[in-house]
Amino acid sequence: MDNWRQRLYAIIFHTDTPAGQRFDNWLLLVILASLVVVMLDSVDAYHQQYAGLFDGLEWAFTLMFAIEYGLRLYCSPKPLRYAFSFFGLVDLLAVMPAILALIFADAQYLMIVRVVRMIRIFRVLKLRQYLSQANFLLTALRGSRQKVTVFLVSVSTLVTVFGALMYVIEGPVNGFTSIPTSIYWAVVTLTTVGYGDITPQTPAGQMLSTLVMITGYSIIAVPTGIFTAELASAIRGGEHLKHACPNCQKAEHEQTAAFCNRCGQALYPQQPPRD
Amino acid sequence: MDNWRQRLYAIIFHTDTPAGQRFDNWLLLVILASLVVVMLDSVDAYHQQYAGLFDGLEWAFTLMFAIEYGLRLYCSPKPLRYAFSFFGLVDLLAVMPAILALIFADAQYLMIVRVVRMIRIFRVLKLRQYLSQANFLLTALRGSRQKVTVFLVSVSTLVTVFGALMYVIEGPVNGFTSIPTSIYWAVVTLTTVGYGDITPQTPAGQMLSTLVMITGYSIIAVPTGIFTAELASAIRGGEHLKHACPNCQKAEHEQTAAFCNRCGQALYPQQPPRD
Amino acid sequence: MDNWRQRLYAIIFHTDTPAGQRFDNWLLLVILASLVVVMLDSVDAYHQQYAGLFDGLEWAFTLMFAIEYGLRLYCSPKPLRYAFSFFGLVDLLAVMPAILALIFADAQYLMIVRVVRMIRIFRVLKLRQYLSQANFLLTALRGSRQKVTVFLVSVSTLVTVFGALMYVIEGPVNGFTSIPTSIYWAVVTLTTVGYGDITPQTPAGQMLSTLVMITGYSIIAVPTGIFTAELASAIRGGEHLKHACPNCQKAEHEQTAAFCNRCGQALYPQQPPRD
Amino acid sequence: MDNWRQRLYAIIFHTDTPAGQRFDNWLLLVILASLVVVMLDSVDAYHQQYAGLFDGLEWAFTLMFAIEYGLRLYCSPKPLRYAFSFFGLVDLLAVMPAILALIFADAQYLMIVRVVRMIRIFRVLKLRQYLSQANFLLTALRGSRQKVTVFLVSVSTLVTVFGALMYVIEGPVNGFTSIPTSIYWAVVTLTTVGYGDITPQTPAGQMLSTLVMITGYSIIAVPTGIFTAELASAIRGGEHLKHACPNCQKAEHEQTAAFCNRCGQALYPQQPPRD
């Protein structure tokens, strides 16, 4: 019995056996299918025609995910650790909305959070490589966190001031019905999205808008610059051997270096045999 | 008495005592609350229901900020220097609009400038780190000031010429009612905001628009490139090798230097093997 | 006869003879002309007036391309290899739509795929240089493929979740008629395109939109950062120092190396002063 | 008399005398004033009220520019060279439109090309510094010319194919009235401008749009990456001394280097005195 449980564990949690890989492939397909059903169900034309079919399918998918969740809990050597891991919570979330939908009418669309389960796709692709790439991105993001905070606080201050000014200049008559709405307009403009649902009508407003746009166009450079600089240094960092030269302390060397290329010192001098 | 004034100074101006930190936290909360009140008051539905309440709260906040401003003036060792410092002026601005609002009806919305006081948030977070990051950004911005001026003058020339051309091509019938409006359109297009409140209708106008868009899409690269290059060099700037030349004591060298480039001395002579 | 075939081959397939260059120039002109005819034919006003003329021209162009395709097959030393090469398939595609148009009415507009043939323009310009530049770009793109996959999967997940949330918040009344439509809106917003055909109407929706826009504005930095870092390293990649170590003959070193990092030999021993 | 002509030349063409600087300042002011008049004249409300005044001012400005152009021709040592230089042609263009306006009604708005004269502003600011910065930008742009050509040809191909596909999918009923219009839509979408004057209505069209937007969002990285990489290398290039080390051929050194920091060789060995 325990043997069977271990084999199940290998199939469900790992991808290095053929059976495990097949399981993951099928799982991804089922997740994708359940997403398509939720999406189609939200289209009015399809909903009216196939409401029953969609309902049945959704319950079937929910049942499958519930069984899968149960099996994962059952065969995992440390069920609690799994249950509170990231993937464990996501797997639970994939089942919850259907049950909530029995109580709240709209909850069924929350099934779309199942899309988060699609992250498993990285496991089916060559996992290692993608994880190391994601690592580069995360290192760069972490390195730029503080700079980004400074940037976001500045942007928030800017849109609030710009929004309030436009509310005073244009006023409710021209669509700027309140300060929050004006701030929404400032964000739409500064990020260069530009819906056009609220636009300046007066010359003074258009002049201020011009200022906001040029500002937005210029400071789009800031996050890019921050991230590029950090990413470049993260990539450089990963390409090099970190080992201080015993003579001159040069910290980074080519992966294959045997001697320091700044001072000619052997990087790994052999210890003379003790007498 | 003077002792009490010094303690007050430590609480209000510094964040390194628990009381000082608590004071700053509460101050931020009050500023945030006053901002929320100004914003909600601008929403018509809320204004009609709670006008009295909002008015009262705004006066309460103004009173609090006035008292705070008075205390800062009173306990500061150099009141005049504080009054004309950046933060001193911002603190004064936080009180003024409410008083101006007694005379001008719209002035009350200028209370939103209180958002600038939110910059104090950096003092509550780990100040030092953020300031050093902001320093990097400022160094990069200062280094790119001239390049940005060249860029902005070029862009201004472009939008004026494009705007005038569109005014001649499309004319008032298609929404391009004057040259300033056409320049506004050119800015909206070049910055890729694209409201769509004014759009070209004639084939010739659409062709020129295409040119403007491609131009804008391409030159968005320029500020990004400028800023990234400056930021990278600002980050690299702090990376000079600190190692005094054993012969002439030159203290800073390029990261990769093997010989002193002032006197030609090997920087890291290898130790002769001990006998 | 075979000699004639070889000369034809040199003219049609190569650009290093005057005749070959003239042939390529004319070919580009004819392709361009055929594109213009397809475009003009799609404009209703012109179509009604010149339908017959356009039809005639299109058949003439198709005939010319068919003859060219036949000649290429005839004079190529390895006709099959040509037929299944990239350019061979593109050349076939340039002829197919006209024939398909006899059966399907709309197929004629597929003639626009002839634009792909315009890539031949690089052959007329100084080919070599452009290809080496394109190589840099391709190396950078290939190097960033995995990072871009991670990025695209993250973006897809984001827009699906944001779209579903907006569908629940705003609902069909405000234009978010289904989850796919809401995802379309999320893409329009996140990429900062911002058509404005669907816009949030409720305060909650506007708040979520603000979040989506700021997200989009920030993560626009990611592909730029990835690509810039890769391009910079692709450019640097060709910059290794070519100088054989006088001791061990290792041929490539870091630009700044003073000593061989395989054997510790000084790479540039100074000449002893002549007596 | 000739002395007077030389002094006039110094005033009009140079900025290093107080009189020359004052002349340039006034000239900029007059150009700016003439631009403002052209702009205001295009606003209907002002035109109807002040048509006579504007007409008078424009003739006065034109007269002033004509006199200035005459003086420049008169006092320049090489009048023909000036007349066909960049600034000479721009100065002529500043006078022409008013004369053309006697014949063509709309030509008067071409006076806006006077904005190009504003480039003289760089001469009033500290010229040298700005020119060297502009040089950096130009070097970077020139270095990336070929990569940008490859990029623009690819983008043109993309928008043509996408435009034709959308024309087939959506058709004239949904606003895609012809292939050129559809290409215009593709440019509007790919550059993330997004006017919203033409938007996809069918699910298939929205799906293709999504593809176009993601493409545009991703390839915005390409020109930025190209330009950043080139600019960074242009900046690095300008910071370094170009002088190959006589021993190891290292090409770039710090501005103050006396010895090569890779091999310790004196960069400028003194010639031994000949006997």
PDB file of all heavy atoms in Angstrom, chain C residues 30-43:
ATOM      1  N   VAL C  30       8.301  46.134 -59.507  1.00  0.00           N
ATOM      2  CA  VAL C  30       7.073  45.433 -59.907  1.00  0.00           C
ATOM      3  C   VAL C  30       6.309  44.966 -58.671  1.00  0.00           C
ATOM      4  O   VAL C  30       5.081  45.095 -58.595  1.00  0.00           O
ATOM      5  CB  VAL C  30       7.420  44.233 -60.826  1.00  0.00           C
ATOM      6  CG1 VAL C  30       6.173  43.412 -61.099  1.00  0.00           C
ATOM      7  CG2 VAL C  30       8.026  44.733 -62.126  1.00  0.00           C
ATOM      8  N   ILE C  31       7.045  44.443 -57.674  1.00  0.00           N
ATOM      9  CA  ILE C  31       6.381  44.013 -56.438  1.00  0.00           C
ATOM     10  C   ILE C  31       5.654  45.191 -55.802  1.00  0.00           C
ATOM     11  O   ILE C  31       4.483  45.113 -55.437  1.00  0.00           O
ATOM     12  CB  ILE C  31       7.407  43.419 -55.444  1.00  0.00           C
ATOM     13  CG1 ILE C  31       8.039  42.148 -56.015  1.00  0.00           C
ATOM     14  CG2 ILE C  31       6.747  43.121 -54.119  1.00  0.00           C
ATOM     15  CD1 ILE C  31       9.222  41.646 -55.200  1.00  0.00           C
ATOM     16  N   LEU C  32       6.381  46.327 -55.710  1.00  0.00           N
ATOM     17  CA  LEU C  32       5.797  47.530 -55.117  1.00  0.00           C
ATOM     18  C   LEU C  32       4.546  47.953 -55.885  1.00  0.00           C
ATOM     19  O   LEU C  32       3.501  48.251 -55.286  1.00  0.00           O
ATOM     20  CB  LEU C  32       6.843  48.652 -55.151  1.00  0.00           C
ATOM     21  CG  LEU C  32       6.742  49.704 -54.062  1.00  0.00           C
ATOM     22  CD1 LEU C  32       6.919  49.063 -52.702  1.00  0.00           C
ATOM     23  CD2 LEU C  32       7.798  50.779 -54.267  1.00  0.00           C
ATOM     24  N   ALA C  33       4.636  47.945 -57.222  1.00  0.00           N
ATOM     25  CA  ALA C  33       3.497  48.339 -58.049  1.00  0.00           C
ATOM     26  C   ALA C  33       2.315  47.412 -57.789  1.00  0.00           C
ATOM     27  O   ALA C  33       1.165  47.864 -57.661  1.00  0.00           O
ATOM     28  CB  ALA C  33       3.901  48.308 -59.521  1.00  0.00           C
ATOM     29  N   SER C  34       2.593  46.093 -57.689  1.00  0.00           N
ATOM     30  CA  SER C  34       1.489  45.146 -57.482  1.00  0.00           C
ATOM     31  C   SER C  34       0.847  45.375 -56.120  1.00  0.00           C
ATOM     32  O   SER C  34      -0.374  45.249 -55.965  1.00  0.00           O
ATOM     33  CB  SER C  34       1.992  43.706 -57.620  1.00  0.00           C
ATOM     34  OG  SER C  34       2.630  43.288 -56.436  1.00  0.00           O
ATOM     35  N   LEU C  35       1.672  45.758 -55.103  1.00  0.00           N
ATOM     36  CA  LEU C  35       1.111  46.059 -53.787  1.00  0.00           C
ATOM     37  C   LEU C  35       0.206  47.283 -53.866  1.00  0.00           C
ATOM     38  O   LEU C  35      -0.896  47.294 -53.301  1.00  0.00           O
ATOM     39  CB  LEU C  35       2.241  46.323 -52.781  1.00  0.00           C
ATOM     40  CG  LEU C  35       3.026  45.096 -52.347  1.00  0.00           C
ATOM     41  CD1 LEU C  35       4.161  45.500 -51.433  1.00  0.00           C
ATOM     42  CD2 LEU C  35       2.116  44.109 -51.636  1.00  0.00           C
ATOM     43  N   VAL C  36       0.688  48.319 -54.568  1.00  0.00           N
ATOM     44  CA  VAL C  36      -0.103  49.557 -54.671  1.00  0.00           C
ATOM     45  C   VAL C  36      -1.443  49.259 -55.331  1.00  0.00           C
ATOM     46  O   VAL C  36      -2.489  49.762 -54.898  1.00  0.00           O
ATOM     47  CB  VAL C  36       0.699  50.622 -55.460  1.00  0.00           C
ATOM     48  CG1 VAL C  36      -0.195  51.802 -55.808  1.00  0.00           C
ATOM     49  CG2 VAL C  36       1.906  51.074 -54.653  1.00  0.00           C
ATOM     50  N   VAL C  37      -1.427  48.416 -56.373  1.00  0.00           N
ATOM     51  CA  VAL C  37      -2.682  48.097 -57.063  1.00  0.00           C
ATOM     52  C   VAL C  37      -3.648  47.384 -56.120  1.00  0.00           C
ATOM     53  O   VAL C  37      -4.832  47.728 -56.058  1.00  0.00           O
ATOM     54  CB  VAL C  37      -2.392  47.227 -58.316  1.00  0.00           C
ATOM     55  CG1 VAL C  37      -3.686  46.633 -58.864  1.00  0.00           C
ATOM     56  CG2 VAL C  37      -1.707  48.069 -59.381  1.00  0.00           C
ATOM     57  N   VAL C  38      -3.143  46.396 -55.359  1.00  0.00           N
ATOM     58  CA  VAL C  38      -4.032  45.698 -54.420  1.00  0.00           C
ATOM     59  C   VAL C  38      -4.623  46.682 -53.421  1.00  0.00           C
ATOM     60  O   VAL C  38      -5.819  46.653 -53.115  1.00  0.00           O
ATOM     61  CB  VAL C  38      -3.256  44.583 -53.668  1.00  0.00           C
ATOM     62  CG1 VAL C  38      -4.148  43.949 -52.613  1.00  0.00           C
ATOM     63  CG2 VAL C  38      -2.766  43.527 -54.633  1.00  0.00           C
ATOM     64  N   MET C  39      -3.777  47.602 -52.907  1.00  0.00           N
ATOM     65  CA  MET C  39      -4.254  48.577 -51.917  1.00  0.00           C
ATOM     66  C   MET C  39      -5.311  49.499 -52.509  1.00  0.00           C
ATOM     67  O   MET C  39      -6.364  49.714 -51.913  1.00  0.00           O
ATOM     68  CB  MET C  39      -3.071  49.405 -51.399  1.00  0.00           C
ATOM     69  CG  MET C  39      -2.172  48.625 -50.452  1.00  0.00           C
ATOM     70  SD  MET C  39      -0.960  49.722 -49.714  1.00  0.00           S
ATOM     71  CE  MET C  39       0.142  48.507 -49.001  1.00  0.00           C
ATOM     72  N   LEU C  40      -5.011  50.052 -53.683  1.00  0.00           N
ATOM     73  CA  LEU C  40      -5.958  50.997 -54.290  1.00  0.00           C
ATOM     74  C   LEU C  40      -7.269  50.289 -54.608  1.00  0.00           C
ATOM     75  O   LEU C  40      -8.356  50.869 -54.442  1.00  0.00           O
ATOM     76  CB  LEU C  40      -5.364  51.604 -55.565  1.00  0.00           C
ATOM     77  CG  LEU C  40      -4.207  52.580 -55.328  1.00  0.00           C
ATOM     78  CD1 LEU C  40      -3.753  53.181 -56.650  1.00  0.00           C
ATOM     79  CD2 LEU C  40      -4.629  53.694 -54.376  1.00  0.00           C
ATOM     80  N   ASP C  41      -7.178  49.041 -55.059  1.00  0.00           N
ATOM     81  CA  ASP C  41      -8.379  48.289 -55.406  1.00  0.00           C
ATOM     82  C   ASP C  41      -9.303  48.125 -54.203  1.00  0.00           C
ATOM     83  O   ASP C  41     -10.515  47.988 -54.348  1.00  0.00           O
ATOM     84  CB  ASP C  41      -7.986  46.908 -55.959  1.00  0.00           C
ATOM     85  CG  ASP C  41      -9.177  46.210 -56.590  1.00  0.00           C
ATOM     86  OD1 ASP C  41     -10.098  46.931 -57.030  1.00  0.00           O
ATOM     87  OD2 ASP C  41      -9.203  44.978 -56.621  1.00  0.00           O
ATOM     88  N   SER C  42      -8.706  48.131 -52.993  1.00  0.00           N
ATOM     89  CA  SER C  42      -9.528  47.944 -51.801  1.00  0.00           C
ATOM     90  C   SER C  42     -10.248  49.227 -51.395  1.00  0.00           C
ATOM     91  O   SER C  42     -11.168  49.204 -50.577  1.00  0.00           O
ATOM     92  CB  SER C  42      -8.655  47.451 -50.640  1.00  0.00           C
ATOM     93  OG  SER C  42      -7.919  48.520 -50.087  1.00  0.00           O
ATOM     94  N   VAL C  43      -9.812  50.386 -51.965  1.00  0.00           N
ATOM     95  CA  VAL C  43     -10.527  51.643 -51.684  1.00  0.00           C
ATOM     96  C   VAL C  43     -11.776  51.690 -52.552  1.00  0.00           C
ATOM     97  O   VAL C  43     -11.692  51.586 -53.778  1.00  0.00           O
ATOM     98  CB  VAL C  43      -9.612  52.861 -51.961  1.00  0.00           C
ATOM     99  CG1 VAL C  43     -10.356  54.153 -51.660  1.00  0.00           C
ATOM    100  CG2 VAL C  43      -8.328  52.761 -51.164  1.00  0.00           C
TER     101      VAL C  43
END
